Amino acid sequence: MGSFDPAKGTYGNWIAVLVVIAISLMLNHGVRSSVRINNFIVIVKIAIIILFVVVGAFFVKPTNWHPFFPFGGSGVLHGAAAVFFAYLGFDVVSSSAAEVKNPRKICQLALSELWSSQRYYMLA
């Protein structure tokens, strides 16, 4: 039953269990502790991004920059618009789920249609 079956070589997700326990203890301790931990997590995320940029800077090949904008600025805007509208629907579906009569059926249908439109955008 479930994903925990030592006979088949599967074990519980102990990292997830520890994260849930840590967050529960943090929420139990209070908001001030939550703010400190949240600030620490944000600093770690920013440090990871800075590390990625610094390490990635050594692998940049300026010869790959030509042509920099093969389709010009309008090509960049068209691509950004396609990605924006492809993923905008996921947010709309999740935020409107509470307002429909049968969210399980409607949201499943909406997400499957969004998935197919996402594939269309990727192929176009």
Side-chain angles (χ1 to χ4, degrees):
M1 299 283 168
S3 63
F4 180 71
D5 189 7
K8 293 183 179 178
T10 58
Y11 298 96
N13 190 350
W14 295 109
I15 294 174
V17 170
L18 292 176
V19 167
V20 168
I21 291 172
I23 291 174
S24 299
L25 291 174
M26 180 180 66
L27 291 174
N28 193 22
H29 191 291
V31 174
R32 184 172 292 162
S33 173
S34 299
V35 168
R36 282 193 306 238
I37 292 174
N38 192 26
N39 288 341
F40 174 74
I41 292 172
V42 168
I43 290 170
V44 169
K45 288 179 183 181
I46 291 173
I48 290 171
I49 291 171
I50 290 172
L51 179 69
F52 177 78
V53 169
V54 169
V55 171
F58 293 107
F59 296 97
V60 171
K61 296 178 184 173
T63 56
N64 293 336
W65 292 353
H66 182 71
F68 192 67
F69 284 122
F71 299 109
S74 66
V76 173
L77 291 177
H78 283 114
V83 171
F84 175 75
F85 285 113
Y87 288 98
L88 179 67
F90 290 108
D91 181 50
V92 171
V93 169
S94 64
S95 62
S96 64
E99 300 175 11
V100 296
K101 290 182 181 178
N102 189 358
R104 178 170 287 194
K105 179 181 176 185
I106 299 298
C107 290
Q108 184 178 7
L109 178 64
L111 287 174
S112 66
E113 289 180 9
L114 283 170
W115 182 81
S116 63
S117 67
Q118 174 194 10
R119 296 295 176 240
Y120 171 73
Y121 283 126
M122 290 174 65
L123 294 175

